[in-house]
Amino acid sequence: MDRSVNQPEYFHTFLAETQEHLLTMQRWLSVMSNHPEDQEALLCLFRSLHSIKGMAASMGFKGLAKVAHGMEDGLDRLRRSGKLPAEAVEPLYQGLELLEARLADIASGNPESQEGAGVGDPKERVHTLRISIPGGDVALWMLVVNELMRLGTLRSCEPAPEKIAEGTLPAVLEVDLLCRFEIEEIEQRCQRICDSVAVELTSRADAEPGLAMQHGVGQPTVRVSTNLLDRCVGLSGELLTVRHRLQASLKQGNQEEIEGSCLQLDRLLADLRHQVLDARMVPLEAVTASLPRLVKDLCRNTGKAIRLNLVGNEVRLDRAILEAMSEPLVHMVRNAVDHGIEEQGTITIAARRDRDRVTLDVIDDGRGFDVEWLLERARQDGFLEAGENTHLSGSELLQLICRPGFSTARRITETSGRGIGMDVVRHTIDKLGGTLQLLPGQGQGACFRFILPLTVSIVPVLLVEAGGQTVALPLMWIEQTLDVPRQQLRCFDDSHTIDLGNRQLPVVFLSRHLGHSPFSGNGSSTIICELRGGHAGLVVDAVIGQREVFVKPLDFPLNRIQGLSGATILGDGRVVFLIDPCSLLPSPSLIPSKGEAL
Amino acid sequence: MARALLLASGRALFGLDIKEVREVLKAPPLHYVPLAPALVLGAINIHDAVVPVFDFSQLRGAQSEVGEHIVVLQGACMALAVNAVHGLCSRTIAMPGGIMHPWVRETFISVRGLAGLIDPVALQQTLEQRLSTTRSLPAERVSEWIAR
């Protein structure tokens, strides 16, 4: 590879643009598989391939350029014949997969090893090793561990180096080592410390690819139009002017002027926020582009004839929401293919924007839900009592199929039927602040409706106090807050419930979860935040108030702390963390739903 | 010659390559991090970024002995609370590796005695192991399902 041309400043642009072309190719290829005579689709495919070839060659990625060139040659012949034969679609899909794999390799930084050039660094692998040193002492073991760390990254080490340092000498040391070296080299390096070191390889696996290309929106970048950037620059200029005006009026002590400037500042900030959030918007196509191929593959495996109909692909959503929606959408499509449609049918994914939210319907015209069978299954699994609820509404049915461990499938297939997916889908939607509905039967089939917010960056929260500390609870989780005298709490064993007249609500103490005594406050009443869905209540010491906050996503290592969903900085500079209340609750299956007796 | 910021934690000395240090703060306001293990002392607000502060004594397996100096690492989004910061020193006669901690890259002789040079990447890996929890929902649900 010619490093002189492969300049890092263009690398990310190259990745983003190539990926965009691959998405375009996917779209046109799915059009062509239905309309082989579509000349425009053929030309667009050709143009994308040509661009990929040109960009890859100029960046010095010869392998990628070669694959694109080969495909372009083939397509050129077809272009002249003016029609795409049906049997040409499959090789084109395979070519597309090859291009994606090459791009993923390039993105993860090891293009040479995959392009057969035979030069450069070999690929990193995880080696599972068993190491023994007959008669080795602490110092010797530590030197070997140290050498292994120099060779690569120790993914796991049993016993841990600290234990060895404390004198726990292993008979055999078991490690997972991520490195570029072969077993012989590792053994040789260890034997330089002591001849009697024996290294045995038990298994080896390739390291995970650096970039998942199949679904999702790829690199964490968005393309922003220069118009939008110009507007942002203009707004920051206006903000500067207002600041000067505010400073001048502060010096003069002119109250009216100060108020006027503050109002203008408010308007400009709202405008700037709106423009910047707009820059994060990505069309839905970024996640639906891979679905036609998924359906095609699933059809091939199951022998069904299913058409995928995508409506409203141009609707734009926040990038973070789209990323999170990728998996649920794939899951819904798989479910529809595996369990919804029997022999042939259509799956429709329709999106539309309604003011500040997006409605996304996933509809199949299959056999729909066999409610009787579902009820029987629910009773067998102990989700329902015998004789209970013989008629289910849409929301009750949804609640049932979203229960962890409940599967609507009669049989488990490779891809679905284990009863895990729908629970995860609902959890994802809840986290995003959206809702999932099951629409009542419009004829046959099933229709799931996702209602999603446009953005996740600015979130309304409830600031509460518990155990003397302030935390934020996303408002989307809270159904209502109640001021209840503490005496009204009933205690059974170690758990508490509250009588709300028509039902009993189990409650958990936030302060206890935060490591403080639950009755640390001296107030005689308690605030219950009833969590959405009516599953449980949360007892806090005080409610400070509601705010709209800019949520900062958590980076490593804070994102490893379970239960935190973000952080925000308040006006006085205080850092307050957002808690995901669901993480505080015991397993949802243990908590009775709204209306159920305890 | 390679230079390091010399830190003291208990009676042990550690060094951080100056390229790895973003800034040193004296007693900034620490904000509460809910649900965090004792290892996390709190979080600080640095130029509008939320940075967690770790108790360095606990990290090295010693008893918690919180000092008032906080060293913010470059690149890695984290800070360490240490007993004292002794300023810059040159790393003379450095030997690769450390015996006690996997995140000590080398041992060197400083003006105050032997010190271990901290490898921030390895330190992050150690933290990852200590903070890792059963966060992945699907896997958890799979085992729940299997257990039934």
Side-chain angles (χ1 to χ4, degrees), chain A residues 88-316:
Chain A
V89 174
E90 197 48 46
L92 280 173
Y93 268 120
Q94 284 168 4
L96 191 62
E97 268 172 37
L98 203 58
L99 288 175
E100 283 177 351
R102 284 275 150 89
L103 187 66
D105 278 335
I106 291 171
S108 56
N110 49 357
E112 297 94 337
S113 64
Q114 291 299 296
E115 291 182 15
V119 290
D121 294 339
K123 206 173 176 185
E124 278 203 329
R125 290 196 171 99
V126 182
H127 300 265
T128 304
L129 304 172
R130 288 165 60 85
I131 298 165
S132 53
I133 317 174
D137 57 8
V138 178
L140 202 54
W141 275 108
M142 288 313 292
L143 284 171
V144 169
V145 171
N146 192 41
E147 188 61 31
L148 291 172
M149 286 175 172
R150 284 155 61 93
L151 284 167
T153 312
L154 272 188
R155 286 278 181 89
S156 74
C157 183
E158 190 54 47
E162 296 90 330
K163 294 274 174 221
I164 301 176
E166 283 165 11
T168 318
L169 295 185
V172 177
L173 181 76
E174 292 183 5
V175 295
D176 283 336
L177 178 69
L178 174 74
C179 71
R180 297 178 186 280
F181 299 99
E182 290 300 326
I183 171 76
E184 295 78 18
E185 172 83 18
I186 300 171
E187 189 167 39
Q188 221 173 30
R189 294 276 289 264
C190 290
Q191 282 173 348
R192 271 189 222 160
I193 299 164
C194 171
D195 290 341
S196 59
V197 178
V199 181
E200 186 196 338
L201 179 75
T202 53
S203 74
R204 190 169 66 178
D206 284 350
E208 305 86 6
L211 176 69
M213 297 290 294
Q214 285 81 359
H215 21 258
V217 265
Q219 287 283 306
T221 54
V222 282
R223 190 169 289 199
V224 180
S225 79
T226 44
N227 279 346
L228 200 131
L229 273 183
D230 288 346
R231 284 204 296 276
C232 287
V233 172
L235 275 170
S236 44
E238 279 186 65
L239 278 168
L240 269 180
T241 318
V242 176
R243 194 194 77 169
H244 290 309
R245 207 179 115 193
L246 192 60
Q247 273 174 336
S249 31
L250 276 171
K251 262 188 203 158
Q252 293 161 4
N254 185 339
Q255 192 64 25
E256 207 173 306
E257 274 281 304
I258 295 172
E259 277 171 20
S261 303
C262 282
L263 273 177
Q264 204 179 351
L265 201 64
D266 222 28
R267 185 187 60 76
L268 285 173
L269 279 175
D271 206 2
L272 186 66
R273 181 183 118 183
H274 177 77
Q275 302 288 356
V276 172
L277 289 181
D278 197 38
R280 291 177 54 92
M281 298 293 188
V282 176
L284 182 69
E285 191 188 12
V287 287
T288 53
S290 62
L291 295 178
R293 200 167 74 194
L294 174 77
V295 172
K296 200 168 165 310
D297 289 348
L298 290 173
C299 286
R300 199 172 44 217
N301 295 343
T302 54
K304 297 178 182 179
I306 295 168
R307 205 169 69 84
L308 179 70
N309 184 20
L310 298 172
V311 182
N313 249 341
E314 68 290 345
V315 172
R316 282 149 50 89

Side-chain angles (χ1 to χ4, degrees), chain A residues 396-413:
Chain A
E396 283 170 331
L397 190 61
L398 185 72
Q399 208 172 349
L400 179 66
I401 60 178
C402 288
R403 288 233 179 183
F406 188 81
S407 172
T408 58
R410 283 167 198 263
R411 66 197 152 76
I412 290 174
T413 69

Side-chain angles (χ1 to χ4, degrees), chain A residues 58-108:
Chain A
S58 65
M59 289 293 290
F61 298 117
K62 289 177 186 155
L64 182 67
K66 203 172 153 189
V67 178
H69 180 68
M71 287 177 72
E72 195 189 18
D73 266 359
L75 262 187
D76 192 35
R77 283 195 292 278
L78 295 172
R79 188 173 61 155
R80 280 175 214 186
S81 72
K83 192 173 183 268
L84 187 77
E87 58 272 20
V89 174
E90 197 48 46
L92 280 173
Y93 268 120
Q94 284 168 4
L96 191 62
E97 268 172 37
L98 203 58
L99 288 175
E100 283 177 351
R102 284 275 150 89
L103 187 66
D105 278 335
I106 291 171
S108 56

Side-chain angles (χ1 to χ4, degrees), chain B residues 79-133:
Chain B
L80 303 173
V82 296
N83 292 129
V85 175
H86 293 311
L88 293 178
C89 69
S90 322
R91 282 165 22 217
T92 45
I93 320 182
M95 293 155 284
I99 295 297
M100 285 301 288
H101 307 292
W103 38 264
V104 169
R105 194 190 298 159
E106 62 177 45
T107 309
F108 65 95
I109 299 174
S110 74
V111 281
R112 290 178 180 254
L114 271 183
L117 186 73
I118 298 168
D119 178 350
V121 177
L123 189 67
Q124 271 198 31
Q125 284 167 356
T126 307
L127 275 176
E128 179 135 30
Q129 280 170 7
R130 304 228 349 215
L131 293 175
S132 65
T133 52

